[in-house]
Amino acid sequence: MVKIGNIELPDFPLLLAPMEDVSDPPFRALCKENGADVVYTEFISSEGLIRDAAKSVMKLDIYEKERPVGIQIFGANLDSMLRSVEIVEKTNPDIIDINFGCPVKKVVSKGAGAGILKDIDLMVSLTEAMVKHTNLPITVKTRLGWDHDSIRIIEVAERLQDVGCKAISIHGRTRAQMYKGNADWAPIAEVKNNPRMHIPVFGNGDVDSPEKAMEMRDKYGLDGCMIGRASIGYPWFFNEVKHYFKTGEHLSKPTISERVDMARRHLEMAIDWKGEHLGVVETRRHYTNYFKGIPHFKEHRMKMVTSDDPKDVFAAFDEVQTKFGNATIPEIG
């Protein structure tokens, strides 16, 4: 069993990573249904929360069916972060996660996200202050370091644990790498194998197959796996990993019909939550993966990603259903 504070999780839990414009309530619900053990919100600006910015506040929406659910916030100003904790607490999440890993320039330029990796003392003091400011478990998501020459992740993890952080998720790249090259899990394993560490250490980066998840568990000995890009437009991934762990065999891939049904549900839920326009626009990023591998799919995909009218998108789903029926991707590839 793995525990984040008092939250009990199964051995080697699978966590849905916080992803901007991806990890919203509709997608989190689908991932939860399909095996995710913990889900995280999109990252939320502490400055946006205290200014009551509509987009930031909307991201606080969480639902009972998602639990355990973590709300992730980012920022570099102590007062703003503490005030945002008070706002977040009112929505009653299970976990508050601090983003110390986002590599995007607009975040880093403000000293937040991965930008704080250039000031470890601030990273630790912010975490300590937030731990003292709430009874909810505080967790951290970060990267190996700012660049290859400044990797101090073993020391960083120790210090975060010492000030009360209840779990740490580490992406196996530096900020300088962004998403290029391969994630390096060896330094994450060094954190886990540090005899001083007793909080869960989760790995993140490049887990795009059940075999990779098993390698993270068995070769690197980590406590769990945070899954990001592999789940976009493919919430089945979590159950596929669990099935592989249990049986050593690959779960059958979803049929075209099942893919259409999932995409349709996803869009319906997104429209219910965000309204027609945002629901249609912000679900587009998922369609490539929902229907990955279907030959000559470009015509259908263009209809899905260029129409602003949900009726047209649903009609495109129906066309795919009619054309391919219950076939699986290998059968038609």
Side-chain angles (χ1 to χ4, degrees), residues 44-91:
I44 306 173
S45 164
S46 57
E47 301 295 337
L49 280 182
I50 64 176
R51 291 196 314 270
D52 204 29
K55 187 172 184 182
S56 294
V57 173
M58 188 177 185
K59 292 178 182 177
L60 291 174
D61 285 356
I62 57 174
Y63 300 90
E64 285 301 313
K65 61 188 175 184
E66 301 179 63
R67 296 190 185 280
V69 57
I71 289 180
Q72 190 189 69
I73 55 178
F74 73 93
N77 177 275
L78 177 59
D79 182 62
S80 298
M81 290 291 273
L82 294 183
R83 288 169 64 190
S84 68
V85 166
E86 294 168 6
I87 296 167
V88 167
E89 278 184 320
K90 294 174 183 176
T91 68

Side-chain angles (χ1 to χ4, degrees), residues 51 82 94 118 126 157 167 180 184 192-193 233 287 307 320:
R51 291 196 314 270
L82 294 183
D94 301 287
K118 292 194 286 187
L126 269 178
K180 297 174 183 175
D184 185 1
K192 172 59 188 172
N193 293 327
Y287 298 144
S307 176
V320 174

Side-chain angles (χ1 to χ4, degrees), residues 98-102 113-114 116-117 123 126-127 140-143:
I98 314 172
N99 183 313
F100 289 146
C102 177
I116 209 165
L117 286 165
M123 185 183 190
L126 269 178
T127 304
V140 163
K141 184 174 190 289
T142 189
R143 286 182 168 235

Side-chain angles (χ1 to χ4, degrees), residues 125-302:
S125 63
L126 269 178
T127 304
E128 181 176 23
M130 291 175 68
V131 167
K132 291 178 177 177
H133 206 63
T134 181
N135 291 321
L136 291 169
I138 295 288
T139 62
V140 163
K141 184 174 190 289
T142 189
R143 286 182 168 235
L144 299 178
W146 176 255
D147 56 25
H148 185 267
D149 296 327
S150 61
I151 294 176
R152 296 162 54 192
I153 191 61
I154 296 174
E155 172 201 343
V156 168
E158 270 193 18
R159 292 179 66 184
L160 291 173
Q161 173 184 263
D162 289 348
V163 298
C165 176
K166 298 301 184 186
I168 184 168
S169 301
I170 305 170
H171 183 103
R173 290 181 175 87
T174 63
R175 190 275 168 173
Q177 287 178 275
M178 300 294 284
Y179 293 99
K180 297 174 183 175
N182 296 319
D184 185 1
W185 300 343
I188 311 175
E190 290 181 42
V191 173
K192 172 59 188 172
N193 293 327
N194 177 359
R196 282 207 63 234
M197 293 298 291
H198 55 79
I199 62 172
V201 177
F202 302 125
N204 175 234
D206 293 357
V207 177
D208 55 9
S209 68
E211 288 88 347
K212 290 261 191 82
M214 183 171 277
E215 183 181 12
M216 187 175 272
R217 184 190 71 173
D218 296 348
K219 179 179 178 180
Y220 291 89
L222 303 183
D223 290 304
C225 173
M226 181 174 275
I227 293 163
R229 287 176 287 177
S231 68
I232 298 174
Y234 201 79
W236 298 275
F237 187 75
F238 299 93
N239 272 339
E240 289 182 1
V241 171
K242 289 185 171 181
H243 182 81
Y244 187 77
F245 282 180
K246 189 174 182 179
T247 67
E249 298 176 354
H250 286 276
L251 192 64
S252 298
K253 293 291 184 181
T255 64
I256 304 301
S257 180
E258 289 169 333
R259 290 166 183 262
V260 170
D261 286 345
M262 189 73 80
R264 183 182 284 116
R265 279 189 64 207
H266 192 162
L267 180 55
E268 288 170 348
M269 293 164 69
I271 290 171
D272 285 345
W273 183 60
K274 305 179 187 182
E276 279 197 3
H277 177 71
L278 279 180
V280 168
V281 170
E282 294 189 0
T283 311
R284 288 173 177 166
R285 71 190 71 244
H286 294 271
Y287 298 144
T288 296
N289 282 350
Y290 271 132
F291 303 107
K292 188 175 182 178
I294 298 179
H296 313 299
F297 186 69
K298 185 176 181 180
E299 172 192 349
H300 303 290
R301 186 176 64 83
M302 290 304 293

